[in-house]
Amino acid sequence: MSAGKIIVYGGRGALGAAIVKHFKANNWWVGSIDLAANEEADANVTVSKDANWSTQAQTVMTGLESALGSNKVDAIINVAGGWAGGNASNKDFLKNCELMWAQSVWSSTISAQAAATFLKDGGLLALPGAQPALQGTAGMMGYGMAKAAIHQLTKSLGCDNNGLPSGATAVAILPITLDTPMNRKWMANSDFSKWTTLEFVAQLFEKWTKGVERPASGSLVQLVTNDNKTELVIE
Amino acid sequence: MSAGKIIVYGGRGALGAAIVKHFKANNWWVGSIDLAANEEADANVTVSKDANWSTQAQTVMTGLESALGSNKVDAIINVAGGWAGGNASNKDFLKNCELMWAQSVWSSTISAQAAATFLKDGGLLALPGAQPALQGTAGMMGYGMAKAAIHQLTKSLGCDNNGLPSGATAVAILPITLDTPMNRKWMANSDFSKWTTLEFVAQLFEKWTKGVERPASGSLVQLVTNDNKTELVIE
């Protein structure tokens, strides 16, 4: 018998794949939502990146219904997203705003909608924030706006009458830099001892899914790593 | 000779029309951007609500170029936007998120882009925030996310290397409730002495445009009205 069921939105990304692997290794049933299937997952819902917001939502809702039947899940963990830079005079400013919005915010609102239907009472909904977006981010304006929207959505989901199942917890994790192969490639001269490992995040999500040291609903949880040790700053 | 030139984005809305009227009465040249023309304005750029983000941006940039020629403006004031309610289980949740985003955030990013090109050095860019979105807004999740994104964009535009002309100031106003005919209609039993008048906001913008008591760039300016008197809370 499995430990329980979770959904990872973005299960093919670097962090998402690490989460799928970690939960699978610990005997969970794992569903993945992404642009392509994660073969390690027990079920996959694939969305087209060319589909619009509501079409992606329909694909996800229909896919989860067919994968889950009448079962509910213990957690929906969204780690979908990407990164794009640029300020207001960048020629790709609007294009990048649009891309950041589609990757992070569409997936977060669809995750919230899916949680309203498929999450157990007392379940966990985790959304992808970013620590830098707590302040201005002139060099990555579209990215910052999308992440700030996710932070505010998280706070809304922490209020009463949020539409989630009874007793559910919504949190956002706010990493500074994750230790991914892509970040190693593009920021090769960085101090990696300040980067947060994917395994740390995966373990954290499993702990919270089991109800261990789970933050209050609506919390923004900064992941602050120094000397290869990550501390949580919870607001 | 006119006092100077300003652009009002959303110049046909209740607040936008009040701003156009106030600036015109004080001898400014006023351009309006909206879904329909404001006949009081000196120039109009009309965008189609069915056009996507980049098409609306192109229409605005081309329209301003033809209205302004080589002239620059003293201020670009965006007051476009609307309101929609609903939490994560609302059947129109995503539709409302999308609408709020298109109305407030598209217009704000396009205003920022337009400011990079058409604003004078030391000019003013004003964006439409909302005081309630400083916290969670469970009853209006899409609205809160869009406004939070605008707040964060304002902070980014207050940082160095923001892409705006030298010395330009970006601020957001964060009203609680504006005293508009529509709000009077839908919230007829409210305490109107706590609502902020459109004329107060129009006067505030003229003062800031002239450089009088202008807040630091990146400021979020809450408009807090009690006993028919509005105070500014600047963060």
Side-chain angles (χ1 to χ4, degrees):
Chain A
M1 191 191 134
S2 76
K5 290 181 194 289
I6 68 153
I7 302 294
V8 181
Y9 205 130
R12 264 292 285 264
L15 177 56
I19 294 166
V20 171
K21 189 179 287 293
H22 176 88
F23 274 84
K24 282 301 299 170
N26 287 277
N27 206 30
W28 294 77
W29 182 97
V30 179
S32 172
I33 304 169
D34 210 322
L35 305 177
N38 180 327
E39 298 303 335
E40 290 191 68
D42 296 286
N44 280 283
V45 178
T46 53
V47 295
S48 164
K49 78 173 168 46
D50 298 320
N52 66 20
W53 200 340
S54 62
T55 303
Q56 292 195 7
Q58 278 163 16
T59 302
V60 168
M61 296 301 281
T62 309
L64 291 181
E65 198 173 330
S66 107
L68 293 168
S70 60
N71 292 303
K72 305 261 177 177
V73 299
D74 297 279
I76 296 178
I77 297 169
N78 180 20
V79 291
W83 185 88
N87 67 18
S89 65
N90 189 292
K91 69 176 174 46
D92 292 325
F93 174 50
L94 295 190
K95 199 181 96 186
N96 286 340
C97 287
E98 206 161 4
L99 182 66
M100 294 299 93
W101 190 252
Q103 291 181 340
S104 297
V105 180
W106 291 9
S107 60
S108 293
T109 53
I110 295 170
S111 294
Q113 192 183 39
T117 303
F118 298 108
L119 194 61
K120 282 184 188 169
D121 287 355
L124 175 75
L125 170 64
L127 300 179
Q131 195 271 353
L134 293 173
Q135 306 301 326
T137 52
M140 43 184 189
M141 287 192 180
Y143 177 85
M145 291 170 76
K147 295 298 186 179
I150 292 171
H151 297 169
Q152 203 271 344
L153 174 62
T154 305
K155 291 185 201 168
S156 291
L157 291 166
C159 298
D160 290 340
N161 301 316
N162 50 46
L164 297 181
S166 170
T169 301
V171 296
I173 59 160
L174 281 59
I176 299 171
T177 310
L178 293 174
D179 193 353
T180 64
M182 201 65 100
N183 284 339
R184 288 253 179 183
K185 181 176 169 191
W186 292 111
M187 297 183 278
N189 297 317
S190 299
D191 178 357
F192 302 139
S193 75
K194 292 182 177 300
W195 289 12
T196 307
T197 67
L198 305 184
E199 182 57 19
F200 176 89
V201 181
Q203 287 173 359
L204 187 66
F205 281 137
E206 194 197 1
K207 210 165 66 171
W208 290 349
T209 300
K210 295 193 288 192
V212 178
E213 294 171 26
R214 188 191 281 189
S217 194
S219 293
L220 306 183
V221 182
Q222 299 173 49
L223 308 181
V224 181
T225 304
N226 284 301
D227 299 330
N228 301 303
K229 190 171 168 343
T230 301
E231 297 193 345
L232 309 185
V233 177
I234 301 178
E235 274 176 31
Chain B
M1 192 190 136
S2 76
K5 291 180 192 290
I6 69 154
I7 302 293
V8 180
Y9 204 132
R12 265 290 287 262
L15 176 56
I19 295 167
V20 171
K21 188 179 288 289
H22 176 88
F23 274 83
K24 282 302 298 173
N26 287 276
N27 206 31
W28 294 77
W29 182 96
V30 180
S32 172
I33 304 169
D34 210 321
L35 305 176
N38 180 328
E39 298 303 336
E40 289 190 69
D42 296 285
N44 280 282
V45 178
T46 53
V47 296
S48 163
K49 79 173 167 44
D50 298 321
N52 66 18
W53 200 341
S54 62
T55 303
Q56 291 196 5
Q58 278 163 17
T59 302
V60 168
M61 296 301 279
T62 309
L64 290 181
E65 201 173 327
S66 105
L68 293 169
S70 60
N71 292 303
K72 305 262 177 175
V73 299
D74 297 279
I76 295 178
I77 297 168
N78 180 20
V79 290
W83 186 89
N87 68 17
S89 66
N90 188 291
K91 69 174 175 48
D92 292 326
F93 174 50
L94 296 189
K95 199 181 96 184
N96 286 341
C97 287
E98 206 160 3
L99 182 65
M100 293 299 93
W101 190 252
Q103 290 182 340
S104 296
V105 181
W106 290 11
S107 60
S108 293
T109 53
I110 295 169
S111 293
Q113 192 184 40
T117 302
F118 297 108
L119 194 61
K120 282 183 187 167
D121 286 356
L124 174 75
L125 169 64
L127 300 178
Q131 197 270 354
L134 294 173
Q135 306 301 326
T137 52
M140 45 183 189
M141 288 193 179
Y143 177 86
M145 293 171 74
K147 294 299 187 179
I150 292 171
H151 298 169
Q152 203 271 344
L153 174 62
T154 304
K155 291 183 200 170
S156 291
L157 291 167
C159 298
D160 290 339
N161 300 317
N162 50 46
L164 298 182
S166 169
T169 301
V171 296
I173 59 160
L174 282 59
I176 299 170
T177 310
L178 291 175
D179 193 353
T180 64
M182 201 67 99
N183 284 338
R184 288 252 179 182
K185 180 178 171 189
W186 292 112
M187 298 183 277
N189 296 318
S190 299
D191 178 358
F192 302 137
S193 74
K194 293 180 175 302
W195 289 13
T196 307
T197 66
L198 306 184
E199 181 58 18
F200 176 88
V201 181
Q203 287 173 358
L204 188 66
F205 281 137
E206 194 197 1
K207 209 166 67 173
W208 290 349
T209 300
K210 294 193 288 190
V212 178
E213 294 169 28
R214 189 191 281 187
S217 194
S219 293
L220 306 183
V221 182
Q222 300 173 49
L223 308 182
V224 182
T225 304
N226 284 301
D227 298 330
N228 300 304
K229 191 172 168 340
T230 302
E231 297 193 347
L232 307 185
V233 178
I234 301 178
E235 275 177 29

